[in-house]
Amino acid sequence: MKKTFAEKSRNRTFLGMFAVMSATSILSNSCNVKSEKIDSEKVILKDPPVAKVVPKIDDENVDSDKRVIYLTFDDGPNRGTENLLKILHKRNVCATAFLVGKHASGSTKQKDDLELLRKDVLVELANHSYTHAHNKYSDFYKNPQVVVQDFNAAKDSLQLKDYIARTPGRNIWRLNNITNTDIKSSSAAADQLKKAGYKVIGWDLEWKPTNKMALKGNHEMMLKRIDSIFFNDLEKTSRHLVFLTHDQYLSDTDSVNELDLFIEKLQKTNRFVFRKISEYPKINEVLN
């Protein structure tokens, strides 16, 4: 039995995702908007475009030759937030920004970037805690009630409408159909977040940084990793991949160019659609 690109664990023929790339093919993208060419100094258009209304895609009705990628960016607003927005508009793709409440008021620039994110139709805002655990993760997760309070503070200060969240320093999932904790000592806190109504989303693939806080490696390496994840059935939900990197890794020219090329080449395969995380399968079910 073989595995095809269209099916998960059924047959053994795999159509290499990057073997045939058509430079003229156009990505089918629910986040597409009618956009203009933007000035390099402008991130948001004067007249924001209206997002195209499309049917919700879930695991059952994604075309069999397509895969769904959820671009997510943590720790904003931060260095690189403006560059991120420029890339999204250049490629006309949507993303989800997991914001840290404390960062949103850290400086005048961060306050301004929050407003850019809030107004942008290509971007969805989600909760990444208020303090980012003060970067002391083991201590933070020892007290589940403090964790919930921290996320509530971020939700209130950022005026977030939804309860979609990602835990700082941990790859944790708490949905009705997915429960996963990378470091088991954080389980009690994760369970309390779910009990408080939070839909906790981790990730399937992370583009990590160098010690200089720039993107590590190149876009070709990341494309191969996406190929491998789908081929080896490593995504949490079949045919849906949650991709993670961070705003602050996009402050140098090379990193910006690599992320831009990464998205461009995914688009040119015509095998992927991009979605905001609120469209992840079953995420909107009421938590038990």
Side-chain angles (χ1 to χ4, degrees), residues 42-264:
K42 295 177 183 177
V43 177
I44 303 301
L45 302 174
K46 289 183 179 178
D47 298 314
V50 178
K52 181 179 177 182
V53 177
V54 296
K56 177 174 170 24
I57 284 189
D58 59 27
D59 194 40
E60 286 69 43
N61 63 23
V62 177
D63 289 344
S64 61
D65 64 342
K66 303 288 185 184
R67 294 293 180 269
V68 185
I69 294 181
Y70 304 83
L71 299 174
T72 69
F73 299 85
D74 283 5
D75 294 357
N78 212 321
R79 291 183 308 151
T81 295
E82 248 186 304
N83 288 333
L84 167 61
L85 290 172
K86 288 178 181 178
I87 295 170
L88 296 180
H89 276 272
K90 180 180 178 181
R91 296 298 164 198
N92 198 24
V93 295
C94 58
T96 302
F98 284 87
L99 304 181
V100 175
K102 203 170 181 179
H103 290 176
S105 58
S107 68
T108 300
K109 180 69 168 65
Q110 286 172 302
K111 291 177 183 177
D112 292 343
D113 284 348
L114 174 62
E115 291 310 307
L116 292 179
L117 288 164
R118 201 186 296 283
K119 294 174 183 176
D120 200 307
V121 297
L122 295 178
V123 179
E124 172 178 70
L125 306 185
N127 195 332
H128 194 43
S129 80
Y130 186 80
T131 63
H132 203 272
H134 304 287
N135 295 321
K136 296 180 179 179
Y137 307 116
S138 296
D139 290 342
F140 182 67
Y141 292 105
K142 285 178 182 176
N143 191 329
Q145 194 55 45
V146 168
V147 173
V148 173
Q149 290 171 359
D150 198 74
F151 276 84
N152 287 343
K155 185 176 187 301
D156 291 343
S157 66
L158 294 167
Q159 301 174 25
L160 299 175
K161 297 177 183 178
D162 209 329
Y163 277 82
I164 296 173
R166 174 174 285 153
T167 48
R170 298 288 184 270
N171 188 358
I172 291 174
W173 296 73
R174 286 296 186 279
L175 302 177
N176 265 345
N177 60 325
I178 304 174
T179 297
N180 188 77
T181 312
D182 57 347
I183 298 177
K184 299 307 176 185
S185 59
S186 307
S187 290
D191 292 341
Q192 282 298 113
L193 282 172
K194 181 178 179 182
K195 187 175 180 181
Y198 285 98
K199 306 158 189 178
V200 184
I201 294 283
W203 61 89
D204 297 302
L205 173 63
E206 179 181 5
W207 196 338
K208 295 182 179 181
T210 65
N211 57 7
K212 294 183 179 180
M213 298 299 281
L215 289 179
K216 187 175 183 179
N218 58 41
H219 67 280
E220 292 177 349
M221 175 193 73
M222 297 308 296
L223 294 172
K224 288 177 182 177
R225 290 189 65 187
I226 283 185
D227 193 356
S228 177
I229 287 171
F230 282 126
F231 180 71
N232 291 296
D233 305 330
L234 299 177
E235 67 273 37
K236 286 290 187 296
T237 297
S238 178
R239 297 190 288 168
H240 295 259
L241 183 146
V242 179
F243 170 87
L244 162 67
T245 192
H246 294 67
D247 292 28
Q248 62 262 43
Y249 306 162
L250 300 173
S251 58
D252 67 287
T253 301
D254 287 344
S255 294
V256 170
N257 289 340
E258 286 299 324
L259 181 63
D260 182 40
L261 286 167
F262 173 70
I263 295 172
E264 178 190 28

